C-alpha cells in the first residue's frame, strides 16, 4: 500500500503484485472533476477527485492496514 499526500489531500494505491495496481476510490472530499496533485516518487502526479481522500482518513486507513494487514472492501478499489 502506498500513501501519497499533499495539503490535506491523499491518494492511496495498492500493489497486489508486480503486475497489478489499484487506486482507492475517493471519499467525496474533492469533486470528481477537480484535479489534485500529490507527490509520487520525485514528481507531482495529477488525480481527479474520484481518487482523492481527506489526508486524515487516508492515514487512518494506512494505520488499519499496518495493524490488521487487511485493505478496504474490494468494491472500493479501481484496478488500473
Amino acid at each position: 500500500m502506498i500513501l501519497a499526500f499533499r495539503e490535506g489531500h491523499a491518494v492511496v494505491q495498492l500493489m497486489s503484485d508486480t503486475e497489478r495496481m489499484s487506486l482507492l476510490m475517493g471519499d467525496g472530499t474533492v469533486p470528481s472533476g477537480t484535479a489534485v496533485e500529490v507527490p509520487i516518487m520525485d514528481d507531482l502526479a495529477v488525480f481527479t477527485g474520484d481518487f482523492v481522500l481527506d489526508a486524515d482518513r487516508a492515514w487512518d486507513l494506512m494505520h488499519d492496514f499496518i495493524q490488521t494487514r487487511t485493505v478496504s472492501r474490494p468494491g472500493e478499489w479501481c484496478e488500473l
Side-chain angles (χ1 to χ4, degrees):
M1 188 173 284
I2 301 165
L3 173 63
F5 61 94
R6 181 175 183 221
E7 298 178 3
H9 297 112
V11 174
V12 179
Q13 302 172 329
L14 178 66
M15 294 181 67
S16 305
D17 57 46
T18 57
E19 299 294 322
R20 292 179 34 192
M21 180 174 281
S22 301
L23 293 174
L24 184 62
M25 297 300 294
D27 61 4
T29 300
V30 175
S32 64
T34 303
V36 172
E37 294 181 329
V38 295
I40 304 286
M41 303 286 276
D42 293 330
D43 293 317
L44 289 177
V46 177
F47 294 91
T48 65
D50 296 325
F51 302 106
V52 178
L53 293 91
D54 174 76
D56 290 332
R57 172 150 165 66
W59 276 112
D60 289 344
L61 291 169
M62 184 63 75
H63 180 263
D64 290 347
F65 174 72
I66 292 167
Q67 297 295 318
T68 65
R69 296 193 179 243
T70 59
V71 295
S72 300
R73 295 183 307 272
E76 296 179 341
W77 294 91
C78 179
E79 190 170 338
L80 302 178

